[in-house]
């Protein structure tokens, strides 16, 4: 396989082909060295999950090293999709990726990672260098690949120029999905829409988590963009997709967003338009984050909220009220961190001994003490059950109103952080008595509906 100016050329051995309606599947075996341009130019945006080194990649590399002739029979290989292609001579096909969010490597990310690391390791060894130790995600591997790409080029060139044993002479099963007619816009549109279902089915055995699915559908896109514009420090810490980097889980961010989303007018359910997507119970933000994510999936899937994107299965947000709620919600993580960092000191000022609470002692056995969203180093960690109701109380500072165009929107009545700076000490004094009444039990507080109703009252002047 080689990289041409107008795309990547796949050269198949033992090629076969099937066409059903708008999709053509071309299958065959590809020599490993000809996958190098795929590694160069493709990433895993279209794959619902990213890949990471571990037992799976080690097993793949062991097969390549010990029994390369059996690799085509032991591995399901790689699944690639491209909406533009051209048939060439000698079982070669030139492919072009038009929309990298839905086309590219759909399945087989761990195979690609293992093969790429195998090639890179051989190239570095040939150059008298060592592969850096430690586990690697696909993104970390690609950074290393780009940095050492000249070593790979030299290694491949010398292999071709000598009669030495070719360590890359093993075959990889490759499936290529293309539209039946790349010139037919309707055919291509249908092809791209079907790719999400194919991705989900191919990754079903790995129990693809809901946040990863939502990321693939584009449900997070606007939230990501708004958060990045408002607070890039927190945005870069969020892990939206399985096996990617990030200390903040998407599920934690979405659960928090429901403080604002609960004010949105209920919308129709995607699967049953006679049914409405209702707000979540406040206690679920603490005790049922998976339910918050499921409800977010229903909300964003509603025909009242999102519509089909331009030529692929990803959906685009069209509901101004939901958009406005997300603009409010992106300020909640920093508010959470402010309360989280200052709560222990303010609790002590209210007359308590925060460090004496058993639940506080237990959580502070951790060596790493940082604020949950920003990662800022702090003195004392807190059980979430103490903090979540106080953060939920910020909903009292929000309102549903109409903008100049008559659209219903959610907005802050006043900026939340300055409000907390001026009022959190008073609020914690009131909250201190409630914690005593609940026997200093953060789980009991976090799961009690009354905690959230009370917190809303604390914020009302």
């Amino acid at each position: 396989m080689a990289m041409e100016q107008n795309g990547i050329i796949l050269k198949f051995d033992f090629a076969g082909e099937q066409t059903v309606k708008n999709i053509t599947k071309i299958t065959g075996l590809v020599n490993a060295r000809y996958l190098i341009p795929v590694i160069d130019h493709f990433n895993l945006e279209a794959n619902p999950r990213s890949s990471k080194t571990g037992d799976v990649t080690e097993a793949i590399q062991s097969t390549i090293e010990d029994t390369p002739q059996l690799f085509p029979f032991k591995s399901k290989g790689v699944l690639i999709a491209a909406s533009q292609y051209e048939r060439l001579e000698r079982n070669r096909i030139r492919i072009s990726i038009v929309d990298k969010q839905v086309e590219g490597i759909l399945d087989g990310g761990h195979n690609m990672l293992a093969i790429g690391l195998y090639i890179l390791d051989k190239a570095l060894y040939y150059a008298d260098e060592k592969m850096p130790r430690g586990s690697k995600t696909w993104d970390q591997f690609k950074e290393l690949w780009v940095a050492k790409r000249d070593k790979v080029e030299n290694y491949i060139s010398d292999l071709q120029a000598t009669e030495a044993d070719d360590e890359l002479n093993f075959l990889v099963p490759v499936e290529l999905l293309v539209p039946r007619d790349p010139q037919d816009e309707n055919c291509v549109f249908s092809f791209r829409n079907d790719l999400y279902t194919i991705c989900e089915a191919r990754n079903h055995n790995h129990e693809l988590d809901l946040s990863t699915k939502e990321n693939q559908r584009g449900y997070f896109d606007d939230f990501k963009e708004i958060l990045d514009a408002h607070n890039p420090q927190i945005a870069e810490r969020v892990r939206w997709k399985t096996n990617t980097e990030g200390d903040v889980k998407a599920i934690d961010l979405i659960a928090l967003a429901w403080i604002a989303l609960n004010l949105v007018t209920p919308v129709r359910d995607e699967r049953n338009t006679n049914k409405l997507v209702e707000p979540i119970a406040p206690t679920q933000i603490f005790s049922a984050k998976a339910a918050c994510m499921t409800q977010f999936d229903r909300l964003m899937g509603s025909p009242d909220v999102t519509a089909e994107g331009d030529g692929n299965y990803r959906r685009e947000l069209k509901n101004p009220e939901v958009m406005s709620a997300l603009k409010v919600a992106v300020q909640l993580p920093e508010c959470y961190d402010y309360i989280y960092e200052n709560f222990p000191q303010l609790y002590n000022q209210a007359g308590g001994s925060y460090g004496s609470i058993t639940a506080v002692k237990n959580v502070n056995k951790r060596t790493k003490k940082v604020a949950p969203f920003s990662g800022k180093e702090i003195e004392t960690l807190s059980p979430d059950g103490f903090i979540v109701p106080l953060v939920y109380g910020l909903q009292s500072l929000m309102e549903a109103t109409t903008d100049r165009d008559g659209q219903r929107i959610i907005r802050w009545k006043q900026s939340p952080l300055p409000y907390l700076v001026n009022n959190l000490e008073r609020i914690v004094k009131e909250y201190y008595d409630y914690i005593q009444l609940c026997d200093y039990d953060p789980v009991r507080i976090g799961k009690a509906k009354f905690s959230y109703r009370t917190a809303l009252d604390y914020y009302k002047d």
Side-chain angles (χ1 to χ4, degrees), residues 222-223 225-227 230-231 234 253-264 317 319-336 391-401 408-417 420:
D222 291 281
F223 199 14
E225 185 176 339
I226 298 167
L227 179 61
H230 176 72
N231 194 321
I234 290 178
L253 208 59
I254 295 302
L256 210 57
W258 273 105
I259 297 174
L261 290 171
N262 265 359
L263 300 178
V264 169
L317 180 59
N319 186 305
E321 190 177 4
V322 173
M323 177 70 83
S324 68
L326 294 179
K327 291 179 180 178
V328 167
V330 295
Q331 297 188 51
L332 290 170
E334 61 199 44
C335 293
Y336 191 108
V391 179
Y392 187 83
L394 288 165
Q395 192 183 79
S396 289
L397 307 183
M398 305 173 191
E399 66 176 352
T401 184
R408 191 175 190 272
I409 61 169
I410 311 301
R411 71 176 186 182
W412 290 104
K413 291 185 289 186
Q414 53 186 307
S415 185
L417 268 179
L420 287 172

Side-chain angles (χ1 to χ4, degrees), residues 161-234:
T162 65
E163 297 181 357
D165 291 339
D166 191 342
E167 298 166 312
L168 304 186
N169 190 26
F170 63 93
L171 298 172
V172 180
V174 173
E175 294 178 70
L176 173 64
L177 301 183
V178 293
R180 172 183 49 79
D181 182 357
Q183 306 306 317
D184 184 332
E185 291 184 2
N186 291 330
C187 178
V188 173
F189 181 83
S190 175
F191 167 76
R192 288 178 178 157
N193 272 330
D194 288 336
L195 292 181
Y196 174 76
T197 304
I198 294 169
C199 276
E200 187 176 5
R202 287 298 184 98
N203 286 274
H204 180 70
N205 291 336
H206 300 290
E207 296 299 327
L208 195 63
D209 64 86
L210 186 55
S211 65
T212 299
K213 292 181 182 180
E214 291 177 356
N215 184 61
Q216 288 304 105
R217 294 299 301 272
Y219 291 170
F220 294 150
D221 286 358
D222 291 281
F223 199 14
K224 288 180 189 177
E225 185 176 339
I226 298 167
L227 179 61
D228 187 56
H230 176 72
N231 194 321
Q233 179 189 0
I234 290 178

Side-chain angles (χ1 to χ4, degrees), residues 64 84 117-118 233 273 301 353 398:
I64 295 171
Q84 295 298 313
L117 284 168
Y118 178 84
Q233 179 189 0
T273 53
S353 179
M398 305 173 191

